[in-house]
Amino acid sequence: MAELHTTKRVRELAAVLREAVSEQGGDLPGGDYVERLVAERATMVSQQMGLTPRTVMTNYMTPALVREWGTSLAAQMRDAELTAHDTAPVTVEQRDGLLVLAAFGVCGMLAVHNADRREHTDPQIVAKDAADSTVQVAVPMHEANGQPVEIGGLTVVVARKVIGMTLEALRKSWWDCTCEQPHRPDGGCALQDRLEHDLATLGGWINRDEAV
């Protein structure tokens, strides 16, 4: 059986998504990136609805909804590019970089655990950005051969967003925490403390009422 991202329906929806983003001035990566993006979204929705991904794509992921998704995605890309232009690079030691990679994994697992809690923070966005950030940070770390790594531009912006969104969702009880330990009166815990430290490694921070 063909992989989901290679099916005809996914290719059709991917074409709609590319067109919608392009019309808004955005440019998505080439290859099968968009097909995989559509397949991942269908899989996430199918898990939430208890259906198969193919049923979701056939009955729920209409071209009109995909075009709306493309418009929203293009807007997010523009905002991220503007922010990245003014964002200073961050130099990370290898040990701290490995801990940051682990933080992306934790954020991704928390997103999956809270896949049905989308009212305030969309787990699908966090899961996707966590996976993308893992690749974008891991590759330069590998190429640095143990030396400090400079992370800048869109990579550091998205990486901060991943951890910041996760922390905000946990602290405001929008998501369930998986630490399985009693939380402090302020709502914090050891897991959140570790994520906050990793966020600081990337030059970001989180206030009591606002994630940055």
Side-chain angles (χ1 to χ4, degrees), residues 36-58:
R36 290 184 180 275
L37 188 62
V38 171
E40 289 171 3
R41 189 177 185 91
T43 299
M44 179 72 74
V45 173
S46 71
Q47 293 171 347
Q48 297 168 359
M49 300 181 68
L51 302 171
T52 68
R54 285 176 171 78
T55 298
V56 169
M57 287 188 296
T58 300

Side-chain angles (χ1 to χ4, degrees), residues 28-29 34 36 76 106 126 129 132 134 138 140 148 157 160 166 179 185:
L28 292 171
V34 181
R36 290 184 180 275
Q76 293 173 18
V106 171
V126 173
D129 287 349
D132 290 345
T134 299
V157 170
R160 289 173 183 168
T166 302
C179 71

